[in-house]
Amino acid sequence: DSDGLLQRVLVYNSLRDAATSGEIPADQDAIRRWRRIVGNLYRLRTHLDHCHFSAEAQDVFRRAEAWLSDARSAVKMSEAAQEHLAKYRGYLARIALTIHCIECADEDREAVRPEISHDNIAQAWALLRDCLFPHAMKFYGEVLGTGRGASAAIKQVCAYILCRKDMALKLKR
């Protein structure tokens, strides 16, 4: 019963700096480690009904909730953006649990540790706050909202894509 969150965890490997051009060689150690982690994830025994946040992790969760509440009240945003932000509490817990499981798999554990650490939820919160939140606000503000530069055609295309359940994204290699 996967919700697809694990499949959304991406690994970025790069061995070149900004001045180098051409083909980027694959980081074979990172590829082997990623394959080991994925294999371990499939074998990992879970007792997710017993997983809980540590006291320090609960503090991060409460601060994140307060930050989100402040963000919703401090900035005038569309109803769609408000609804999107309302999902962040659940996203935060799910992403923290995903990171926790990946960490357990990387440690070659047989079962998931019952306590989710401060570091796991701090990583999840940083991803939500510093990456997903700014992009979501730009999307909901400029594309779907009344933001400057949004054209009616873009809004219609976005609305069409968002409401279609049968559409699949196909990527060319």
Side-chain angles (χ1 to χ4, degrees):
D1 292 345
S2 172
D3 65 0
L5 187 58
L6 179 61
Q7 291 84 347
R8 292 183 182 103
V9 176
L10 301 176
V11 177
Y12 293 91
N13 300 305
S14 178
L15 297 178
R16 70 174 179 173
D17 59 56
T20 309
S21 63
E23 190 71 23
I24 302 171
D27 183 340
Q28 294 302 317
D29 289 335
I31 291 169
R32 279 189 290 279
R33 182 176 179 204
W34 180 249
R35 287 181 180 153
R36 181 182 55 78
I37 290 170
V38 170
N40 287 348
L41 281 167
Y42 282 106
R43 289 184 290 279
L44 198 61
R45 286 183 294 126
T46 61
H47 46 80
L48 298 181
D49 55 325
H50 300 294
C51 280
H52 62 276
F53 290 121
S54 69
E56 296 85 7
Q58 289 176 27
D59 185 49
V60 173
F61 196 83
R62 282 189 293 272
R63 285 185 305 200
E65 285 182 313
W67 188 93
L68 288 166
S69 177
D70 290 346
R72 282 192 299 267
S73 62
V75 179
K76 184 177 180 352
M77 60 182 73
S78 68
E79 185 178 323
Q82 289 280 349
E83 290 171 2
H84 176 75
L85 279 185
K87 298 176 184 177
Y88 274 40
R89 184 176 194 272
Y91 289 165
L92 180 57
R94 290 170 51 217
I95 293 170
L97 181 60
T98 301
I99 291 169
H100 175 69
C101 289
I102 291 170
E103 184 179 88
C104 290
D106 190 31
E107 294 168 353
D108 296 318
R109 294 183 172 274
E110 291 183 16
V112 176
R113 284 190 319 272
E115 186 171 86
I116 299 171
S117 73
H118 167 274
D119 291 345
N120 295 147
I121 196 165
Q123 280 183 295
W125 177 231
L127 175 66
L128 276 173
R129 182 194 61 229
D130 301 337
C131 181
L132 300 179
F133 176 78
H135 289 286
M137 292 304 96
K138 188 153 184 79
F139 177 77
Y140 283 102
E142 291 186 9
V143 177
L144 294 183
T146 57
R148 292 175 290 264
S151 70
I154 291 174
K155 289 181 191 178
Q156 289 173 345
V157 169
C158 290
Y160 176 77
I161 291 170
L162 291 173
C163 74
R164 294 291 305 242
K165 294 186 187 315
D166 61 336
M167 288 187 73
L169 179 64
K170 294 184 179 157
L171 301 174
K172 291 185 178 181
R173 289 186 183 231

